[in-house]
Amino acid sequence: MKKYLKNLINSPLKFLLIFAFAILCTTNPVFANELLNGLPALNVNTNGDKTEYSLPLQILILMGAITILPSLILGMTSFTRIIIVMSILRQALGTQQTPPNQVIIAISLFLTFFIMSPTLTKIYNEAATPYMNNEVTAEEAVDNASKSIKNFMVKNTRKTDLLMFSDLAGIEKKFETNEEIPFRVVLPAFMTSELKTAFQIGFLIFLPFLVIDMVISSILMSLGMMMLSPMLISLPFKLLLFVIVDGWAMTVGSLVSTFSVGG
């Protein structure tokens, strides 16, 4: 496979022909439809207002969707904010790799499913179930699902970020509803807003642990113990403080409460 790709790259003519063929299929739906209909296993049948896809084509589309699923989880859910805050919390505690990355990712995923459960339930009821019952087409199901996820993203995005990306996209009109905002504006605005919120929460979490480090360092300096690492002494105190205030429950509860999931 590597040898084939190397030969393809070294042959500009073959590369240009394949690239032109891909562009033609993408920009010309009629040509793409005729091409798919020429393959027995990849048929697209249009009956009235409904478009039916053959089973192999449905499987192909599903496998393609699975490949971009990690990007969707990162860019369209609460996962980004949660994992950034958890990483900052671990750094503030100074526990190195405790909890390990696998545990942090698992906690972030389960919290993401918990926060996104109303939106996922709405998508299942309004998009997945009607499509499986042949009540709506695939395009209508995708449209219904996109409305639900877009509504969640807009509710958790700052208006300043939406306005900034609207201006960058050259859109001058004001949006009356969430459905009118295009995904090319919502996605980067949501990600930017999530990053800002995550670092704000991380800053507030970091402050009390920073105070403990400064107090321990001052005490060691006054006692002349300059060769003793302040981090080694402050770690038990930070862990003790975190356990006394029930830090994990407080952090998780505060994170969940920062999201707007209703409606």
Side-chain angles (χ1 to χ4, degrees), residues 50 58 62 120-142 144:
K50 292 185 177 181
Q58 293 181 23
L62 178 62
L120 296 176
T121 302
K122 188 176 181 181
I123 291 174
Y124 179 79
N125 293 331
E126 298 182 0
T129 301
Y131 176 71
M132 290 186 292
N133 294 334
N134 295 322
E135 297 175 0
V136 297
T137 61
E139 291 79 4
E140 292 174 341
V142 172
N144 293 336

Side-chain angles (χ1 to χ4, degrees), residues 142-186:
V142 172
D143 184 61
N144 293 336
S146 63
K147 288 180 181 178
S148 300
I149 194 68
K150 185 189 294 184
N151 188 49
F152 169 80
M153 289 192 293
V154 172
K155 284 187 175 182
N156 292 279
T157 304
R158 291 180 174 84
K159 292 183 179 180
T160 54
D161 295 326
L162 286 173
L163 293 175
M164 180 185 69
F165 282 98
S166 297
D167 294 337
L168 292 176
I171 302 175
E172 297 180 357
K173 70 172 184 177
K174 294 183 178 180
F175 303 110
E176 300 295 334
T177 60
N178 296 342
E179 288 76 12
E180 296 180 1
I181 307 176
F183 263 105
R184 65 190 180 103
V185 173
V186 175

